Amino acid sequence: MKVIKYILFALLLSVAMPQQMQAKRMKVPKMFMFGFSASFQDSIIYMTDVQEVEGAWYDSKTKFLLGRQHYSYQLKDYLANDKQAPNRVCIVMFALSRKDAEKKFIKLRKEYTVKAKGKYDVRYLTTTDFKFRAVEIDEQ
């Protein structure tokens, strides 16, 4: 009888948990992000300024930026078309506060300037050069 109670209890938990544990997608008023780009063919590194993007989507459960691949493609397309730098690997780093985003930016910049001891040619893109645009995500 005890075994049956445990099985029923486990079944109830398995049915109830997925409904409570669903990720909550939310559109945040401000998201702070910057882009980073490197290539396996040269030593040039591109970094954007920390930018404020309004209307970005965020997953509160995983604490992750939704549509992040679209933001990295924005940077990749800009570099390929405007800087004639195709085939680059682009990433986007983000945070909900400017302070946290700037901490990540400084840490990454230090990795490729101070610690690399001049091994890379780091080039900065200002917001007048390149600006991220908010990506619309379905609310499904």
Side-chain angles (χ1 to χ4, degrees):
M1 191 66 171
K2 258 186 176 179
V3 174
I4 294 174
K5 284 182 183 178
Y6 285 123
I7 292 173
L8 286 175
F9 183 70
L11 283 173
L12 281 174
L13 279 179
S14 67
V15 170
M17 290 299 274
Q19 294 170 353
Q20 294 173 354
M21 299 298 285
Q22 282 185 336
K24 184 175 181 189
R25 297 171 129 187
M26 54 192 251
K27 193 173 194 176
V28 292
K30 294 179 187 176
M31 177 72 71
F32 298 93
M33 61 180 75
F34 67 93
F36 172 85
S37 175
S39 176
F40 296 112
Q41 299 172 349
D42 60 28
S43 62
I44 298 173
I45 302 292
Y46 287 99
M47 294 182 78
T48 69
D49 289 340
V50 174
Q51 301 176 13
E52 180 181 313
V53 178
E54 293 183 12
W57 286 86
Y58 179 73
D59 186 333
S60 62
K61 179 182 176 190
T62 60
K63 296 185 177 12
F64 224 77
L65 177 67
L66 298 174
R68 59 197 172 277
Q69 69 276 16
H70 297 293
Y71 292 106
S72 62
Y73 281 131
Q74 287 177 19
L75 179 58
K76 185 176 182 138
D77 290 342
Y78 169 78
L79 292 172
N81 297 330
D82 292 14
K83 297 288 185 185
Q84 285 70 44
N87 306 320
R88 301 193 65 82
V89 177
C90 298
I91 63 167
V92 175
M93 307 271 302
F94 68 94
L96 292 174
S97 71
R98 180 173 289 277
K99 183 180 176 183
D100 291 341
E102 286 175 350
K103 277 183 187 177
K104 292 177 182 183
F105 177 81
I106 290 168
K107 184 178 179 181
L108 190 62
R109 183 180 63 188
K110 187 187 285 186
E111 190 71 35
Y112 285 92
T113 55
V114 176
K115 290 183 180 178
K117 298 177 183 172
K119 202 161 116 176
Y120 300 102
D121 178 11
V122 180
R123 298 181 185 178
Y124 299 99
L125 301 172
T126 63
T127 52
T128 56
D129 297 329
F130 171 77
K131 180 122 175 85
F132 287 109
R133 295 175 314 277
V135 173
E136 276 303 315
I137 305 290
D138 289 337
E139 288 190 57
Q140 293 181 9

